[in-house]
Amino acid sequence: MLLTTNDTPPQSTAESAISVDRNAAAPRRCRFCKAPNLHSMVDLGMSPLCESYLKRSQLNDMEPFYPLHAYVCGECFLVQLDAYVTAEHIFSDYAYFSSYSDSWVEHARQYAVKMTDRFRLNANSHVVEIASNDGYLLQHFVALNVPALGVEPAANVAEVAVRKGVPTLVRFFGVETARHMVQDGQSADLLLGNNVLAQVPDLNDFVQGMKILLKPTGVITVEFPHLMKLMDENQFDTIYHEHFSYFSFVTTVRLFAAHGLTVFDVEELWTHGGSLRVYARHADDASKPVSDAVHALLASEEAAGFRTLQCYANFAEQVKETKRKLLAFLIEARRAGKTVVGYGAPGKGNTLLNYCGIRTDFLDYTVDRSPHKQGKFLPGTHIPIYHPEKIRETRPDFVLILPWNFKDEILKQLAYIREWGGKCVVPIPEVTICD
Ligand SMILES: [Zn+2]
């Protein structure tokens, strides 16, 4: 008897709640717990790598597109993408310079002051930041006279940090780098990684490296967008190939625990549409008790169902509806003869525009403060990126704010568009005209 390809194993009740495409190129095993049961969460179609801005000379070349499909692990509930892109590729000519956002630099300054105060850091302490970018954060520790060292794989970005007086090691972080740093006497009193956990292909190697580099009574802090916020507020555009993993608090606590680290405190932050700052220490360091905030957030995620597959099942429809609303606005505006341009060229904008099929038919151009992006074109959509002055020159009716997480800052910068009756629009959590 011949077996047909329709022979599939019986599905459990939990599985049938989620649309599982068994033919899709699903990651074989969970990036963290290695369980083989990954379930489709949302399929954003084919998309180019969101940081691959194009030069004019590349516009006629073939452009690689990869599936942008998020899965959730039925065992540990880590939300994850297949790794189509290597970390080496992401960081080889990294165009993201943190210092181009005023509110991000101010966030970093407040963090440095707070940590120095809370953990009594001084001239004898050692702060290490993983993925330290252009020194936007560590420069504040240097100013406070607390010795700091950055670890940053992108050489062009690290160079900027060094010029600011922030010593920087050009390397990827993991167990091997951590061992090498410990041998060099660079163990950390404060070890931080902001918005880097998502970009780590080998999560276990990364967190184990943190464990190795941390002094016995040292503190780790990591910040990352909170999965609960992503889902509550339709922030599907923060899903892109360069972000391999998306974390709930329950899964984060489990990840750290698997490497002998205890999460002892957590704060909810406004950054990136709603992030968590998680504090961890060695499991045997009894000097820092686990805070009430940890218990409260675990309870809140449990209650919201973050340990059940059902919780992830409804997200795909929510995403489609967000797309329909944005397109309805754009179609109506263009039919009425209005001009619409973009503001910003963030990675999230590229997910949004590619998924929604928005090209120069809807958005004439976008602008960005980073000179590294000006003169280039958005991947996939080929929307040109100009200097922000272009808005003043062309007086558009609507400006679509792509980095909506910096909405307040950008609304202030763009207050002048009211002179000609221009209005700002944010696409997420749903398309809204700002008055
Ligand atoms: Zn897992």
Side-chain angles (χ1 to χ4, degrees):
M1 187 189 125
L2 288 171
L3 287 175
T4 72
T5 50
N6 292 329
D7 290 342
T8 49
Q11 295 191 341
S12 72
T13 322
E15 265 186 322
S16 55
I18 305 254
S19 92
V20 180
D21 180 0
R22 293 186 177 279
N23 295 318
R28 295 287 169 267
R29 288 181 179 277
C30 170
R31 175 163 293 120
F32 161 42
C33 79
K34 310 301 175 194
N37 54 334
L38 296 174
H39 304 261
S40 175
M41 180 181 168
V42 64
D43 184 357
L44 299 171
M46 298 293 285
S47 210
L49 301 182
C50 76
E51 298 285 351
S52 301
Y53 300 94
L54 301 170
K55 295 177 192 146
R56 185 175 290 281
S57 61
Q58 295 171 305
L59 289 180
N60 293 336
D61 295 345
M62 283 207 292
E63 209 179 340
F65 278 54
Y66 302 92
L68 190 52
H69 194 159
Y71 296 85
V72 60
C73 172
E75 190 58 42
C76 72
F77 302 102
L78 179 71
V79 172
Q80 53 203 288
L81 302 185
D82 255 347
Y84 289 100
V85 52
T86 62
E88 283 77 4
H89 179 93
I90 298 174
F91 289 103
S92 61
D93 180 26
Y94 202 45
Y96 185 77
F97 287 77
S98 299
S99 294
Y100 287 106
S101 163
D102 298 338
S103 49
W104 188 241
V105 172
E106 174 56 18
H107 172 72
R109 191 192 65 77
Q110 288 174 10
Y111 168 86
V113 170
K114 187 171 175 173
M115 294 305 117
T116 302
D117 190 42
R118 178 169 176 182
F119 300 113
R120 299 177 204 290
L121 302 175
N122 56 42
N124 299 317
S125 310
H126 193 229
V127 177
V128 175
E129 182 182 15
I130 304 166
S132 49
N133 202 271
D134 59 5
Y136 75 101
L137 187 146
L138 289 180
Q139 63 183 350
H140 301 295
F141 282 104
V142 171
L144 292 164
N145 212 16
V146 178
L149 174 69
V151 183
E152 168 57 51
N156 63 328
V157 181
E159 214 173 279
V160 178
V162 171
R163 281 206 296 271
K164 278 182 194 160
V166 176
T168 305
L169 197 60
V170 180
R171 282 189 80 141
F172 280 98
F173 187 78
V175 166
E176 196 192 323
T177 298
R179 289 205 179 115
H180 170 90
M181 290 174 73
V182 170
Q183 276 167 13
D184 281 359
Q186 288 163 338
S187 296
D189 293 284
L190 175 64
L191 175 58
L192 69 129
N194 288 346
N195 300 300
V196 59
L197 219 48
Q199 301 185 11
V200 174
D202 188 344
L203 264 184
N204 290 311
D205 181 69
F206 187 88
V207 179
Q208 189 59 35
M210 292 189 110
K211 167 86 179 167
I212 290 167
L213 190 60
L214 191 66
K215 285 188 188 172
T217 57
V219 171
I220 291 170
T221 74
V222 289
E223 290 178 26
F224 51 83
H226 189 190
L227 180 62
M228 187 153 82
K229 277 282 188 185
L230 186 159
M231 290 169 63
D232 282 352
E233 301 192 8
N234 295 328
Q235 300 164 353
F236 66 88
D237 57 340
T238 61
I239 297 173
Y240 37 84
H241 296 106
E242 288 84 342
H243 285 176
F244 303 128
S245 311
Y246 303 81
F247 301 89
S248 63
F249 189 52
V250 287
T251 299
T252 308
V253 168
R254 187 167 165 168
L255 169 65
F256 278 89
H259 294 280
L261 296 163
T262 298
V263 170
F264 69 92
D265 203 4
V266 61
E267 287 169 68
E268 294 182 71
L269 309 171
W270 62 271
T271 51
H272 295 281
S275 295
L276 295 182
R277 177 183 293 153
V278 167
Y279 296 75
R281 48 138 165 107
H282 288 289
D284 57 6
D285 172 9
S287 67
K288 299 168 196 77
V290 176
S291 73
D292 292 344
V294 170
H295 300 297
L297 187 54
L298 284 175
S300 142
E301 284 195 354
E302 293 266 3
F306 275 76
R307 276 197 214 263
T308 64
L309 284 174
Q310 186 58 51
C311 168
Y312 303 87
N314 303 327
F315 187 61
E317 186 52 36
Q318 223 175 291
V319 169
K320 289 177 202 163
E321 182 54 19
T322 309
K323 169 177 177 170
R324 290 190 284 258
K325 284 180 177 160
L326 176 59
L327 286 176
F329 162 77
L330 289 170
I331 290 167
E332 196 186 323
R334 299 307 299 232
R335 262 195 196 133
K338 307 283 188 192
T339 47
V340 189
V341 305
Y343 185 97
K348 60 169 66 65
N350 290 323
T351 293
L352 181 85
L353 300 172
N354 278 293
Y355 171 65
C356 296
I358 297 166
R359 300 186 174 76
T360 49
D361 45 0
F362 286 119
L363 279 195
D364 293 340
Y365 62 82
T366 191
V367 300
D368 200 279
R369 288 170 82 189
S370 167
H372 301 272
K373 294 180 183 175
Q374 291 162 10
K376 292 190 176 164
F377 294 79
L378 298 183
T381 60
H382 294 197
I383 293 171
I385 310 167
Y386 295 114
H387 186 281
E389 271 304 302
K390 184 87 174 172
I391 291 178
R392 208 184 288 274
E393 289 162 25
T394 60
R395 298 162 74 95
D397 298 303
F398 294 108
V399 179
L400 181 67
I401 299 178
L402 296 171
W404 43 260
N405 49 316
F406 293 119
K407 180 181 84 171
D408 294 342
E409 177 181 339
I410 294 166
L411 284 177
K412 272 184 219 149
Q413 288 168 20
L414 291 178
Y416 66 86
I417 71 172
R418 290 198 203 116
E419 288 167 21
W420 61 84
K423 286 189 171 161
C424 288
V425 180
V426 286
I428 303 288
E430 62 174 29
V431 66
T432 307
I433 298 171
C434 308
D435 284 316

